[in-house]
Amino acid sequence: MFFARAGFGTFSKTAVAAVNTSTFSAGRTLWLVALLISLCVDVSAQSSNVSITEYPLSNRNSVPRGITTGPDGALWFAEYSANKIGRITTSGVITEFNVPTANAQPLGITAGPDGALWFSESTSAIVSKIGRITTDGVVTEYSIPSQGAEPTGIIAGPDGALWFSATGCGTDANGIIPSKIGRITTAGVITLYPLSSRFCVAPIAITVGPDGAMWFAESGSTTNMIGRITTAGVITEYPVSQLSNGISCLTAGPDGALWFGMGSGIGRITTTGVITQYFLPTQSNGVSGITASPDGTLWFTESGQSGTGSKIGRITTSGVITEYSLPVDNSSPYSITAGSGGAFWFTEYGGAGSQIGRIQMFARTGVLSHIAAGGGWTTVITLVNTSGAAVPVTVALHNDDGSAVTLPVTTTQQGLSQTTTSSSVNATMNPDTTLLISMGSQVASTVVGWADVTSTGPVGGFAIFRQTPQTGSPSEGTVPLQSQFPSTITLAYDNTAGFVMGVALANLSASSANITATIWDDSGSLLGTQTITIAGSGHTAFVLPNQLTLTTGRRGIVQFQSAATGGITGLGLRFSPFGTFTSVPTM
């Protein structure tokens, strides 16, 4: 999991004291010293690494249940109490379509193989139905040819048909009405496969397994099962013990197993029937929805008890659970599905009313390997969102030791400017907009470091840092927003004719990193190696002849290689004998 970071890296005062004054004039030495002064402050941690947005429905009592990604890129959901099928775009625009049958109570919904959406109508009437809705909102309904078969979950099968679970709970002239697994073709032909005659066992959820069979969850008052049915109708059932509130949801995991939600946590079952259970770290009324993530984890909805609050959870395939609290304490999140751009969408009701929620995890978008602020230095970070969706973004500032630095920063967005004192900037960038972050004009002492940019979607950008001397012309350097995080970078250097090369390095690993600097001259002769240690999430910067003395008076290249995971980033700074500087990219 990626976390938004905070902190500022600094140059080494020791390196400043060792500047070779025979190479620099006194005036230029003082100018460079101003660049290399450091400042350290306390850590200020980022409070959350996810963004949660909720979109209210017009009918606060509509009770949205199932949700799925449609073939049109929008999210489609079933409104149980409002008797509607809803659609929400990724920008939050909601459209609702009426279901023709009164009190049909749509519950489950899935994208079909025919470019339409298919949904279950869990009515208490004599005849229940399976519905089909086109992306234009045209609804067709198909009656289920069995009394007491109330459909719940529905999924597109591997055979080009739709498969659904149907609860039977009653008796007829022939005895007990069993629960069933149903199959419906896109032409509306329905086949039903009865389960064993256990009374009131409810198959709630159904999904396609990694083995090409359909898997379903059965919840009962005394018995809970995970079932499997082949496309030929052969049924196998596996009992699940140690459950409270039964099994409520089921999905195929990224590890070749099936994962399900239960009252006390998350369960996993292999295709051979081996079951593992993982219990929630906080008290809960149970897990009601679960879905697989493209990053190899699973996300689930969790209804909280009084005082604990409802949550969206994330579980790794090794069973590590992370929970994220929802803004509304007593809401009930129900179903969840993966959307585009790394977002997860979920249905929610109760509390503040019925709504559709979206949760996105921040990930590292890019890094700015060097910034400078105060003492005549200013830096302006420019970020651009060229996507068609709003993107929450965090820019965090790092210190040499990986801790946070707090600075006055001015943000300008869509014509509005605001100045705050913080170690990070949080903003939401609308499509095709620009965010400017300026720092340095209100700081007396010079601060240098680096910045980490995390967001829920792609952004581009750069930073320009400027030094304005008391006499002479200002100089500027440009730092690209680097989106590649290699373990090795190369810098070309030229420390001849009064020029000298500096370098800024940032360690992108959370652990301390030993950086091996390998030095060649311009003829390709290996001069030697040296090790530089940088703290986790830390930073260092120096002029090459001071720390890598083999580069003195030479041209060539230096290769910096990190032994830690996570990568490194860097920028060269070329100082001239004329009192100016420019930035040099690494390779």
Side-chain angles (χ1 to χ4, degrees):
M1 175 181 347
F2 295 97
F3 290 91
R5 301 169 178 263
F8 235 117
T10 59
F11 280 90
S12 166
K13 290 182 180 179
T14 304
V16 179
V19 171
N20 185 345
T21 55
S22 66
T23 304
F24 289 93
S25 69
R28 283 184 276 115
T29 302
L30 292 174
W31 171 85
L32 181 58
V33 168
L35 172 64
L36 304 181
I37 295 175
S38 66
L39 175 67
C40 301
V41 299
D42 294 337
V43 173
S44 175
Q46 175 78 11
S47 61
S48 176
N49 67 323
V50 298
S51 169
I52 298 175
T53 308
E54 294 170 315
Y55 301 93
L57 300 177
S58 57
N59 181 352
R60 62 175 288 118
N61 298 315
S62 67
V63 187
R65 292 295 186 96
I67 188 169
T68 192
T69 299
D72 54 353
L75 289 303
W76 289 74
F77 54 94
E79 297 183 65
Y80 184 80
S81 295
N83 207 41
K84 299 176 185 290
I85 298 299
R87 176 185 184 270
I88 183 170
T89 66
T90 54
S91 59
V93 178
I94 296 173
T95 310
E96 296 172 297
F97 305 95
N98 291 321
V99 176
T101 299
N103 300 316
Q105 298 174 330
L107 183 59
I109 189 167
T110 191
D114 55 350
L117 287 302
W118 290 73
F119 57 96
S120 60
E121 299 180 27
S122 184
T123 178
S124 57
I126 296 297
V127 178
S128 295
K129 299 178 180 180
I130 298 297
R132 176 186 185 271
I133 183 170
T134 67
T135 54
D136 295 327
V138 178
V139 177
T140 308
E141 295 173 294
Y142 302 94
S143 297
I144 297 175
S146 175
Q147 292 184 5
E150 296 184 27
T152 50
I154 187 168
I155 195 75
D159 56 349
L162 289 302
W163 288 74
F164 59 93
S165 51
T167 299
C169 189
T171 59
D172 58 15
N174 299 317
I176 294 175
I177 301 174
S179 293
K180 302 173 180 69
I181 299 300
R183 177 184 185 271
I184 181 171
T185 68
T186 54
V189 178
I190 295 177
T191 307
L192 297 174
Y193 302 93
L195 302 179
S196 60
S197 60
R198 289 185 305 275
F199 187 68
C200 282
V201 172
I204 301 297
I206 189 166
T207 193
V208 180
D211 55 353
M214 312 305 301
W215 288 72
F216 53 94
E218 298 178 59
S219 182
S221 58
T222 59
T223 303
N224 296 283
M225 311 280 279
I226 297 294
R228 176 185 185 271
I229 182 171
T230 67
T231 53
V234 178
I235 296 174
T236 309
E237 294 168 299
Y238 302 94
V240 182
S241 61
Q242 300 179 2
L243 290 181
S244 60
N245 300 336
I247 306 173
S248 53
C249 54
L250 180 72
T251 193
D255 57 346
L258 288 301
W259 290 73
F260 56 92
M262 52 191 182
S264 53
I266 303 294
R268 175 185 184 271
I269 182 170
T270 67
T271 54
T272 58
V274 178
I275 294 174
T276 309
Q277 293 173 283
Y278 304 96
F279 296 96
L280 297 174
T282 59
Q283 289 187 336
S284 169
N285 285 330
V287 174
S288 56
I290 189 168
T291 191
S293 168
D295 69 354
T297 64
L298 298 103
W299 289 72
F300 58 91
T301 57
E302 179 185 343
S303 294
Q305 296 180 349
S306 177
T308 62
S310 294
K311 303 175 181 70
I312 301 298
R314 178 179 184 267
I315 184 170
T316 67
T317 54
S318 60
V320 178
I321 295 175
T322 308
E323 298 171 307
Y324 304 96
S325 296
L326 293 179
V328 180
D329 214 23
N330 57 344
S331 66
S332 296
Y334 190 78
S335 181
I336 188 168
T337 191
S340 61
F344 292 86
W345 294 76
F346 57 95
T347 54
E348 185 180 6
Y349 56 89
S354 296
Q355 48 203 350
I356 304 300
R358 181 188 67 197
I359 184 168
Q360 294 174 285
M361 178 174 283
F362 284 86
R364 175 175 280 149
T365 303
V367 292
L368 299 162
S369 57
H370 190 70
I371 57 177
W377 290 84
T378 57
T379 294
V380 178
I381 298 172
T382 299
L383 299 179
V384 180
N385 176 17
T386 58
S387 72
V391 175
V393 62
T394 295
V395 179
L397 312 176
H398 284 253
N399 202 336
D400 271 1
D401 62 2
S403 61
V405 134
T406 299
L407 287 173
V409 293
T410 299
T411 58
T412 302
Q413 190 175 21
Q414 296 182 236
L416 300 176
S417 296
Q418 180 181 13
T419 299
T420 59
T421 300
S422 179
S423 62
S424 63
V425 172
N426 300 286
T428 297
M429 300 179 63
N430 289 325
D432 302 313
T433 61
T434 300
L435 172 67
L436 301 180
I437 304 171
S438 178
M439 62 195 76
S441 60
Q442 302 180 46
V443 182
S445 300
T446 301
V447 179
V448 295
W450 72 287
D452 204 359
V453 180
T454 55
S455 68
T456 61
V459 295
F462 56 90
I464 295 177
F465 55 94
R466 170 185 289 188
Q467 195 267 345
T468 304
Q470 293 182 349
T471 60
S473 301
S475 295
E476 290 185 342
T478 302
V479 188
L481 181 67
Q482 295 171 301
S483 57
Q484 304 274 326
F485 315 120
S487 60
T488 301
I489 60 175
T490 301
L491 175 68
Y493 68 89
D494 182 355
N495 295 327
T496 64
F499 290 90
V500 66
M501 182 67 72
V503 67
L505 299 172
N507 173 21
L508 306 184
S509 171
S511 303
S512 176
N514 290 324
I515 311 297
T516 300
T518 305
I519 307 162
W520 291 268
D521 65 16
D522 56 355
S523 64
S525 298
L526 177 63
L527 300 179
T529 61
Q530 191 169 328
T531 300
I532 304 164
T533 300
I534 307 179
S537 303
H539 173 271
T540 188
F542 51 87
V543 289
L544 263 61
N546 291 342
Q547 190 149 335
L548 306 179
T549 56
L550 292 173
T551 66
T552 303
R554 288 187 168 98
R555 298 187 186 94
I557 60 173
V558 181
Q559 183 183 82
F560 299 95
Q561 184 171 24
S562 174
T565 60
I568 56 174
T569 184
L571 182 77
L573 295 173
R574 175 178 163 89
F575 302 100
S576 78
F578 315 111
T580 60
F581 76 91
T582 189
S583 55
V584 177
T586 56
M587 296 170 278

